[in-house]
Protein backbone atom coordinates (compact mmCIF):
# COMPACT_ATOMS: atom_id res chain seq x y z
CA UNK A 1 0.00 0.00 0.00
CA UNK A 2 2.95 2.30 0.54
CA UNK A 3 4.58 1.45 -2.78
CA UNK A 4 3.47 3.52 -5.75
CA UNK A 5 4.67 3.19 -9.32
CA UNK A 6 6.45 6.12 -10.90
CA UNK A 7 4.09 9.02 -11.37
CA UNK A 8 2.58 9.04 -14.82
CA UNK A 9 2.80 5.26 -15.13
CA UNK A 10 -0.70 3.78 -14.96
CA UNK A 11 -1.19 1.02 -12.40
CA UNK A 12 -3.44 -0.82 -14.87
CA UNK A 13 -3.41 -0.73 -18.64
CA UNK A 14 -5.89 -2.68 -20.74
CA UNK A 15 -4.80 -2.76 -24.38
CA UNK A 16 -7.17 -3.79 -27.16
CA UNK A 17 -8.97 -6.40 -25.06
CA UNK A 18 -11.46 -8.67 -26.78
CA UNK A 19 -13.38 -11.54 -25.15
CA UNK A 20 -15.71 -13.84 -27.06
CA UNK A 21 -18.09 -16.53 -25.92
CA UNK A 22 -18.43 -18.74 -28.96
CA UNK A 23 -19.40 -16.41 -31.78
CA UNK A 24 -20.57 -13.67 -29.40
CA UNK A 25 -18.20 -10.79 -28.61
CA UNK A 26 -18.82 -9.67 -25.01
CA UNK A 27 -15.86 -7.27 -24.81
CA UNK A 28 -14.79 -5.70 -28.06
CA UNK A 29 -11.39 -4.02 -28.42
CA UNK A 30 -11.42 -2.15 -25.10
CA UNK A 31 -8.43 -0.02 -24.13
CA UNK A 32 -8.19 1.93 -20.90
CA UNK A 33 -5.45 3.12 -18.54
CA UNK A 34 -6.05 3.71 -14.84
CA UNK A 35 -3.64 5.72 -12.75
CA UNK A 36 -2.48 4.70 -9.32
CA UNK A 37 -4.91 5.88 -6.66
CA UNK A 38 -7.65 6.72 -9.16
CA UNK A 39 -11.34 6.36 -8.32
CA UNK A 40 -12.63 4.95 -11.58
CA UNK A 41 -16.27 4.28 -12.44
CA UNK A 42 -17.39 1.68 -14.97
CA UNK A 43 -20.98 1.89 -16.13
CA UNK A 44 -23.13 0.52 -18.94
CA UNK A 45 -26.49 -1.19 -19.33
CA UNK A 46 -27.01 -4.83 -18.36
CA UNK A 47 -25.08 -7.18 -20.59
CA UNK A 48 -22.70 -4.48 -21.86
CA UNK A 49 -19.63 -6.47 -20.78
CA UNK A 50 -18.64 -4.88 -17.46
CA UNK A 51 -18.32 -8.11 -15.47
CA UNK A 52 -16.64 -9.88 -18.38
CA UNK A 53 -14.03 -7.10 -18.57
CA UNK A 54 -13.44 -7.36 -14.81
CA UNK A 55 -13.19 -11.15 -15.09
CA UNK A 56 -10.48 -10.71 -17.71
CA UNK A 57 -8.61 -8.22 -15.49
CA UNK A 58 -8.81 -10.42 -12.38
CA UNK A 59 -7.98 -13.60 -14.30
CA UNK A 60 -11.27 -15.46 -13.86
CA UNK A 61 -11.39 -15.38 -17.68
CA UNK A 62 -8.65 -15.10 -20.25
CA UNK A 63 -9.06 -12.62 -23.07
CA UNK A 64 -8.89 -13.76 -26.69
CA UNK A 65 -7.01 -10.69 -27.88
CA UNK A 66 -5.26 -7.88 -26.05
CA UNK A 67 -3.05 -7.33 -23.04
CA UNK A 68 -3.48 -6.47 -19.38
CA UNK A 69 -0.50 -4.72 -17.85
CA UNK A 70 -0.54 -4.31 -14.08
CA UNK A 71 2.15 -2.28 -12.36
CA UNK A 72 4.35 -2.56 -15.45
CA UNK A 73 3.98 -6.34 -15.80
CA UNK A 74 1.99 -8.18 -18.48
CA UNK A 75 -0.34 -10.33 -16.38
CA UNK A 76 -2.58 -11.44 -19.27
CA UNK A 77 -1.59 -15.08 -19.01
CA UNK A 78 -1.31 -15.33 -15.22
CA UNK A 79 -3.93 -17.39 -13.35
CA UNK A 80 -6.28 -15.53 -11.01
CA UNK A 81 -4.49 -16.42 -7.76
CA UNK A 82 -1.21 -15.01 -9.08
CA UNK A 83 -2.94 -11.77 -10.04
CA UNK A 84 -4.39 -11.64 -6.53
CA UNK A 85 -0.87 -11.95 -5.19
CA UNK A 86 0.28 -9.13 -7.49
CA UNK A 87 -2.36 -6.90 -5.88
CA UNK A 88 -5.57 -7.24 -7.91
CA UNK A 89 -8.64 -8.02 -5.82
CA UNK A 90 -12.31 -8.01 -6.66
CA UNK A 91 -15.60 -8.46 -4.94
CA UNK A 92 -18.24 -10.53 -6.68
CA UNK A 93 -21.57 -9.27 -7.97
CA UNK A 94 -23.22 -12.18 -6.17
CA UNK A 95 -21.69 -12.65 -2.70
CA UNK A 96 -20.29 -16.15 -2.17
CA UNK A 97 -19.49 -16.43 1.51
CA UNK A 98 -18.69 -19.71 3.20
CA UNK A 99 -22.01 -19.78 5.01
CA UNK A 100 -21.12 -22.23 7.75
CA UNK A 101 -18.08 -20.15 8.71
CA UNK A 102 -17.87 -17.06 10.87
CA UNK A 103 -16.96 -13.69 9.38
CA UNK A 104 -13.48 -14.05 10.89
CA UNK A 105 -13.03 -17.52 9.37
CA UNK A 106 -14.16 -16.27 5.95
CA UNK A 107 -11.42 -13.66 6.08
CA UNK A 108 -8.80 -16.15 7.28
CA UNK A 109 -9.53 -18.20 4.14
CA UNK A 110 -9.10 -15.06 2.05
CA UNK A 111 -5.73 -14.09 3.54
CA UNK A 112 -4.53 -17.64 3.13
CA UNK A 113 -5.55 -17.57 -0.54
CA UNK A 114 -3.59 -14.37 -1.03
CA UNK A 115 -0.59 -15.92 0.75
CA UNK A 116 -0.58 -12.93 3.08
CA UNK A 117 -0.95 -15.23 6.05
CA UNK A 118 2.04 -17.40 5.23
CA UNK A 119 4.71 -17.01 7.86
CA UNK A 120 2.27 -15.47 10.32
CA UNK A 121 1.08 -17.21 13.47
CA UNK A 122 -2.63 -17.86 13.89
CA UNK A 123 -2.73 -15.05 16.43
CA UNK A 124 -1.05 -12.65 13.98
CA UNK A 125 -3.43 -13.68 11.20
CA UNK A 126 -6.40 -13.08 13.46
CA UNK A 127 -5.02 -9.68 14.40
CA UNK A 128 -4.63 -8.77 10.72
CA UNK A 129 -8.16 -9.89 9.99
CA UNK A 130 -9.50 -8.08 13.05
CA UNK A 131 -7.98 -4.81 11.83
CA UNK A 132 -9.66 -5.19 8.44
CA UNK A 133 -13.01 -6.00 10.04
CA UNK A 134 -12.74 -2.91 12.26
CA UNK A 135 -11.94 -0.76 9.24
CA UNK A 136 -14.94 -2.18 7.37
CA UNK A 137 -17.29 -1.59 10.32
CA UNK A 138 -17.68 -5.33 10.98
CA UNK A 139 -15.64 -5.57 14.18
CA UNK A 140 -18.67 -6.56 16.25
CA UNK A 141 -19.56 -9.31 13.76
CA UNK A 142 -16.25 -11.19 13.74
CA UNK A 143 -17.70 -14.26 15.43
CA UNK A 144 -21.11 -14.20 13.76
CA UNK A 145 -21.86 -16.84 11.15
CA UNK A 146 -21.85 -15.25 7.73
CA UNK A 147 -25.28 -16.79 7.13
CA UNK A 148 -26.60 -14.50 9.90
CA UNK A 149 -25.42 -11.25 8.30
CA UNK A 150 -27.77 -8.62 6.92
CA UNK A 151 -27.53 -7.70 3.24
CA UNK A 152 -25.33 -4.65 3.86
CA UNK A 153 -23.10 -6.59 6.27
CA UNK A 154 -22.69 -9.28 3.62
CA UNK A 155 -21.63 -6.66 1.08
CA UNK A 156 -19.13 -5.24 3.55
CA UNK A 157 -17.78 -8.72 4.21
CA UNK A 158 -17.31 -9.21 0.47
CA UNK A 159 -15.24 -6.03 0.36
CA UNK A 160 -13.39 -7.08 3.52
CA UNK A 161 -12.54 -10.43 1.90
CA UNK A 162 -11.13 -8.59 -1.10
CA UNK A 163 -9.20 -6.28 1.25
CA UNK A 164 -7.71 -9.26 3.09
CA UNK A 165 -5.48 -9.79 0.06
CA UNK A 166 -4.01 -6.31 0.69
CA UNK A 167 -4.76 -5.22 -2.86
CA UNK A 168 -3.39 -2.20 -4.66
CA UNK A 169 -6.34 -2.38 -7.05
CA UNK A 170 -9.81 -3.15 -5.71
CA UNK A 171 -12.62 -3.88 -8.14
CA UNK A 172 -16.12 -3.64 -6.73
CA UNK A 173 -18.75 -5.24 -8.96
CA UNK A 174 -22.21 -3.97 -8.03
CA UNK A 175 -21.64 -4.22 -4.28
CA UNK A 176 -24.56 -1.85 -3.66
CA UNK A 177 -27.34 -3.61 -5.55
CA UNK A 178 -30.43 -4.05 -3.39
CA UNK A 179 -29.26 -1.77 -0.59
CA UNK A 180 -31.22 1.16 0.86
CA UNK A 181 -30.11 4.75 0.37
CA UNK A 182 -28.36 5.03 3.73
CA UNK A 183 -26.69 1.62 3.25
CA UNK A 184 -25.40 2.76 -0.15
CA UNK A 185 -23.91 5.81 1.56
CA UNK A 186 -22.22 3.53 4.13
CA UNK A 187 -20.58 1.36 1.47
CA UNK A 188 -19.61 4.46 -0.52
CA UNK A 189 -17.98 5.98 2.58
CA UNK A 190 -16.01 2.76 3.08
CA UNK A 191 -14.74 2.87 -0.49
CA UNK A 192 -13.70 6.50 -0.03
CA UNK A 193 -11.75 5.50 3.11
CA UNK A 194 -9.96 2.76 1.17
CA UNK A 195 -9.21 5.19 -1.64
CA UNK A 196 -7.67 7.61 0.88
CA UNK A 197 -5.40 4.75 1.98
CA UNK A 198 -3.99 4.80 -1.55
CA UNK A 199 -5.91 1.90 -3.07
CA UNK A 200 -6.91 2.25 -6.71
CA UNK A 201 -10.60 1.47 -7.06
CA UNK A 202 -12.74 0.43 -10.02
CA UNK A 203 -16.38 0.81 -9.11
CA UNK A 204 -19.03 -0.91 -11.22
CA UNK A 205 -22.45 0.26 -10.21
CA UNK A 206 -25.95 0.61 -11.54
CA UNK A 207 -26.78 3.16 -8.87
CA UNK A 208 -25.87 6.19 -10.90
CA UNK A 209 -25.62 8.81 -8.17
CA UNK A 210 -23.21 6.54 -6.28
CA UNK A 211 -20.81 6.15 -9.24
CA UNK A 212 -21.05 9.82 -10.07
CA UNK A 213 -20.35 10.88 -6.50
CA UNK A 214 -17.44 8.48 -6.13
CA UNK A 215 -15.62 8.56 -9.45
CA UNK A 216 -13.00 10.96 -10.74
CA UNK A 217 -13.41 9.47 -14.20
CA UNK A 218 -16.09 7.29 -15.75
CA UNK A 219 -16.14 4.96 -18.74
CA UNK A 220 -19.40 3.71 -20.24
CA UNK A 221 -19.62 0.41 -22.10
CA UNK A 222 -22.31 -0.59 -24.52
CA UNK A 223 -22.31 -3.95 -26.32
CA UNK A 224 -18.71 -4.51 -25.26
CA UNK A 225 -17.34 -1.22 -26.56
CA UNK A 226 -16.44 2.06 -24.86
CA UNK A 227 -18.96 4.66 -25.94
CA UNK A 228 -17.99 7.48 -23.57
CA UNK A 229 -15.18 8.44 -21.22
CA UNK A 230 -14.69 11.52 -19.08
CA UNK A 231 -15.71 13.20 -15.87
CA UNK A 232 -18.99 12.00 -14.34
CA UNK A 233 -20.72 15.14 -15.64
CA UNK A 234 -19.36 14.65 -19.16
CA UNK A 235 -20.41 11.00 -19.32
CA UNK A 236 -23.86 11.63 -17.82
CA UNK A 237 -24.41 14.42 -20.32
CA UNK A 238 -23.34 12.30 -23.28
CA UNK A 239 -26.16 11.67 -25.76
CA UNK A 240 -25.00 8.10 -26.55
CA UNK A 241 -24.90 7.23 -22.87
CA UNK A 242 -28.40 8.54 -22.31
CA UNK A 243 -29.60 6.61 -25.33
CA UNK A 244 -27.89 3.40 -24.15
CA UNK A 245 -29.66 3.60 -20.81
CA UNK A 246 -33.03 4.50 -22.28
CA UNK A 247 -32.77 1.56 -24.67
CA UNK A 248 -31.89 -0.85 -21.85
P1 LIG B 1 -22.64 -6.76 -17.50
O1 LIG B 1 -21.77 -7.11 -16.33
O2 LIG B 1 -22.30 -5.45 -18.14
O3 LIG B 1 -24.10 -6.84 -17.18
P2 LIG B 1 -21.62 -9.23 -18.63
O4 LIG B 1 -20.16 -9.00 -18.78
O5 LIG B 1 -22.06 -10.06 -17.47
O6 LIG B 1 -22.39 -7.83 -18.66
O7 LIG B 1 -22.18 -9.93 -19.93
C1 LIG B 1 -21.88 -9.42 -21.21
C2 LIG B 1 -22.50 -10.33 -22.24
O8 LIG B 1 -21.78 -11.55 -22.28
C3 LIG B 1 -23.94 -10.70 -21.96
O9 LIG B 1 -24.64 -10.77 -23.18
C4 LIG B 1 -23.84 -12.06 -21.32
O10 LIG B 1 -24.99 -12.83 -21.56
C5 LIG B 1 -22.63 -12.64 -22.02
N1 LIG B 1 -21.90 -13.61 -21.19
C6 LIG B 1 -21.32 -13.35 -20.00
N2 LIG B 1 -20.69 -14.43 -19.51
C7 LIG B 1 -20.91 -15.42 -20.41
C8 LIG B 1 -20.53 -16.80 -20.50
N3 LIG B 1 -19.78 -17.36 -19.53
N4 LIG B 1 -20.93 -17.50 -21.57
C9 LIG B 1 -21.65 -16.92 -22.55
N5 LIG B 1 -22.04 -15.63 -22.55
C10 LIG B 1 -21.68 -14.90 -21.50
MG1 LIG C 1 -22.23 -7.52 -14.30
Amino acid sequence: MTHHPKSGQPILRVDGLTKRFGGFTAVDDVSVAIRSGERFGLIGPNGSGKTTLINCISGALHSDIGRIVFNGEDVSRLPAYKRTRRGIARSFQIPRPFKSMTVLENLLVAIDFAAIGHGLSVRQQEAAVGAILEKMGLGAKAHALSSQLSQVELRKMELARAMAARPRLLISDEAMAGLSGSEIDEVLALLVTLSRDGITIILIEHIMHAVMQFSERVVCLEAGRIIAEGTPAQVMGDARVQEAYLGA
Side-chain angles (χ1 to χ4, degrees), residues 19-25 64:
K19 178 65 192 174
R20 300 190 187 98
F21 298 110
F24 175 76
T25 305
D64 296 301

PDB file of all heavy atoms in Angstrom, residues 19-25 64:
ATOM      1  N   LYS A  19     -12.990 -10.247 -25.722  1.00  0.00           N
ATOM      2  CA  LYS A  19     -13.384 -11.539 -25.150  1.00  0.00           C
ATOM      3  C   LYS A  19     -14.650 -12.031 -25.840  1.00  0.00           C
ATOM      4  O   LYS A  19     -15.665 -11.338 -25.873  1.00  0.00           O
ATOM      5  CB  LYS A  19     -13.637 -11.404 -23.640  1.00  0.00           C
ATOM      6  CG  LYS A  19     -14.093 -12.693 -22.977  1.00  0.00           C
ATOM      7  CD  LYS A  19     -13.021 -13.777 -23.017  1.00  0.00           C
ATOM      8  CE  LYS A  19     -13.570 -15.134 -22.617  1.00  0.00           C
ATOM      9  NZ  LYS A  19     -12.565 -16.202 -22.791  1.00  0.00           N
ATOM     10  N   ARG A  20     -14.553 -13.240 -26.376  1.00  0.00           N
ATOM     11  CA  ARG A  20     -15.712 -13.835 -27.061  1.00  0.00           C
ATOM     12  C   ARG A  20     -16.203 -15.053 -26.307  1.00  0.00           C
ATOM     13  O   ARG A  20     -15.419 -15.776 -25.696  1.00  0.00           O
ATOM     14  CB  ARG A  20     -15.315 -14.272 -28.476  1.00  0.00           C
ATOM     15  CG  ARG A  20     -14.809 -13.147 -29.356  1.00  0.00           C
ATOM     16  CD  ARG A  20     -14.669 -13.585 -30.811  1.00  0.00           C
ATOM     17  NE  ARG A  20     -14.032 -12.529 -31.588  1.00  0.00           N
ATOM     18  CZ  ARG A  20     -12.734 -12.510 -31.880  1.00  0.00           C
ATOM     19  NH1 ARG A  20     -11.942 -13.508 -31.525  1.00  0.00           N
ATOM     20  NH2 ARG A  20     -12.214 -11.500 -32.558  1.00  0.00           N
ATOM     21  N   PHE A  21     -17.498 -15.260 -26.366  1.00  0.00           N
ATOM     22  CA  PHE A  21     -18.095 -16.528 -25.915  1.00  0.00           C
ATOM     23  C   PHE A  21     -18.679 -17.171 -27.165  1.00  0.00           C
ATOM     24  O   PHE A  21     -19.711 -16.725 -27.658  1.00  0.00           O
ATOM     25  CB  PHE A  21     -19.180 -16.287 -24.871  1.00  0.00           C
ATOM     26  CG  PHE A  21     -18.671 -15.634 -23.608  1.00  0.00           C
ATOM     27  CD1 PHE A  21     -18.998 -14.329 -23.285  1.00  0.00           C
ATOM     28  CD2 PHE A  21     -17.843 -16.343 -22.735  1.00  0.00           C
ATOM     29  CE1 PHE A  21     -18.531 -13.731 -22.124  1.00  0.00           C
ATOM     30  CE2 PHE A  21     -17.369 -15.759 -21.572  1.00  0.00           C
ATOM     31  CZ  PHE A  21     -17.715 -14.454 -21.265  1.00  0.00           C
ATOM     32  N   GLY A  22     -18.009 -18.195 -27.676  1.00  0.00           N
ATOM     33  CA  GLY A  22     -18.431 -18.742 -28.957  1.00  0.00           C
ATOM     34  C   GLY A  22     -18.339 -17.655 -30.009  1.00  0.00           C
ATOM     35  O   GLY A  22     -17.318 -16.982 -30.127  1.00  0.00           O
ATOM     36  N   GLY A  23     -19.414 -17.435 -30.747  1.00  0.00           N
ATOM     37  CA  GLY A  23     -19.401 -16.407 -31.782  1.00  0.00           C
ATOM     38  C   GLY A  23     -19.789 -15.029 -31.280  1.00  0.00           C
ATOM     39  O   GLY A  23     -19.828 -14.068 -32.036  1.00  0.00           O
ATOM     40  N   PHE A  24     -20.076 -14.932 -29.970  1.00  0.00           N
ATOM     41  CA  PHE A  24     -20.566 -13.669 -29.403  1.00  0.00           C
ATOM     42  C   PHE A  24     -19.421 -12.883 -28.768  1.00  0.00           C
ATOM     43  O   PHE A  24     -18.674 -13.424 -27.954  1.00  0.00           O
ATOM     44  CB  PHE A  24     -21.649 -13.981 -28.366  1.00  0.00           C
ATOM     45  CG  PHE A  24     -22.145 -12.778 -27.637  1.00  0.00           C
ATOM     46  CD1 PHE A  24     -23.021 -11.892 -28.261  1.00  0.00           C
ATOM     47  CD2 PHE A  24     -21.747 -12.519 -26.339  1.00  0.00           C
ATOM     48  CE1 PHE A  24     -23.480 -10.772 -27.598  1.00  0.00           C
ATOM     49  CE2 PHE A  24     -22.202 -11.397 -25.662  1.00  0.00           C
ATOM     50  CZ  PHE A  24     -23.070 -10.529 -26.294  1.00  0.00           C
ATOM     51  N   THR A  25     -19.274 -11.623 -29.153  1.00  0.00           N
ATOM     52  CA  THR A  25     -18.204 -10.793 -28.610  1.00  0.00           C
ATOM     53  C   THR A  25     -18.731  -9.981 -27.432  1.00  0.00           C
ATOM     54  O   THR A  25     -19.513  -9.046 -27.617  1.00  0.00           O
ATOM     55  CB  THR A  25     -17.640  -9.856 -29.705  1.00  0.00           C
ATOM     56  OG1 THR A  25     -17.238 -10.666 -30.813  1.00  0.00           O
ATOM     57  CG2 THR A  25     -16.441  -9.077 -29.193  1.00  0.00           C
ATOM     58  N   ASP A  64      -9.295 -13.155 -25.428  1.00  0.00           N
ATOM     59  CA  ASP A  64      -8.893 -13.760 -26.692  1.00  0.00           C
ATOM     60  C   ASP A  64      -7.817 -12.928 -27.371  1.00  0.00           C
ATOM     61  O   ASP A  64      -6.895 -13.462 -27.988  1.00  0.00           O
ATOM     62  CB  ASP A  64     -10.110 -13.892 -27.617  1.00  0.00           C
ATOM     63  CG  ASP A  64     -11.147 -14.830 -27.026  1.00  0.00           C
ATOM     64  OD1 ASP A  64     -10.801 -15.997 -26.785  1.00  0.00           O
ATOM     65  OD2 ASP A  64     -12.288 -14.396 -26.764  1.00  0.00           O
TER      66      ASP A  64
END
